[in-house]
Amino acid sequence: MPPVHPLLKEGTIIHIKMENTGKNLRVMDDGTVNGRGGTGKFATFIVHNRPGQGNKAFQSWNNPNHWLCIKKRDWLVNGHGKGGKWCTFNVQPANKPGTFLLHSEHGQGHVGIKPSGDPKPANNTGAGPAAQCTFHQANPKQGWGKGHW
């Protein structure tokens, strides 16, 4: 079966642009995530396949020890995942053409970003602009990331 989006194949390097801010998701060095990224190393992710139709995980290009995740402790998206079950997202088409939702596969709700760029709790994020995103090809530069060059 083809991927839900052509860029979401194993090993593809992408940016995840959030509709609410018009900026990319980014994982900071301390593992916090926000929606104020540009196109640099903090806002660049490697796509990984997970079992199940449309299930993906997103590893930070800058720091391979940081994976996008949502844990029940606070329901906020962060980069403290290690690639396990809390890092699995079901990518679903959103109601706005060309946009998608990152649904927490092992929790409830979606990755959400407030207009300020701060994360919004997944258990309080529906399918509106706070949850909608688009995927774009990234072109990482040599010297970016820890352990990728």
Side-chain angles (χ1 to χ4, degrees):
M1 210 164 216
V4 68
H5 187 284
L7 288 179
L8 297 184
K9 294 182 254 181
E10 179 71 30
T12 302
I13 302 168
I14 65 166
H15 297 298
I16 303 170
K17 185 176 180 181
M18 301 305 297
E19 285 293 301
N20 237 8
T21 63
K23 302 274 186 179
N24 290 320
L25 274 184
R26 65 180 176 180
V27 179
M28 305 307 289
D29 278 334
D30 65 359
T32 58
V33 171
N34 65 56
R36 295 186 286 270
T39 57
K41 62 186 181 180
F42 294 103
T44 303
F45 296 91
I46 304 164
V47 177
H48 294 279
N49 294 329
R50 292 292 183 255
Q53 178 63 27
N55 287 350
K56 303 294 176 184
F58 302 95
Q59 182 183 25
S60 169
W61 174 266
N62 181 55
N63 186 335
N65 293 321
H66 289 170
W67 296 65
L68 286 184
C69 74
I70 295 176
K71 295 187 179 174
K72 290 183 180 181
R73 146 182 94 236
D74 62 8
W75 294 105
L76 297 176
V77 64
N78 65 70
H80 296 292
K82 301 297 180 205
K85 71 177 188 175
W86 300 108
C87 300
T88 299
F89 296 94
N90 185 261
V91 180
Q92 306 168 346
N95 56 8
K96 181 178 175 185
T99 65
F100 295 85
L101 306 171
L102 298 178
H103 180 76
S104 175
E105 184 63 15
H106 294 282
Q108 57 179 307
H110 305 94
V111 168
I113 296 294
K114 298 175 184 177
S116 66
D118 294 326
K120 182 178 178 181
N123 62 343
N124 195 27
T125 301
Q132 295 173 6
C133 66
T134 55
F135 304 105
H136 305 273
Q137 183 77 48
N139 296 304
K141 297 177 182 168
Q142 189 166 3
W144 278 15
K146 300 170 181 143
H148 289 292
W149 293 97

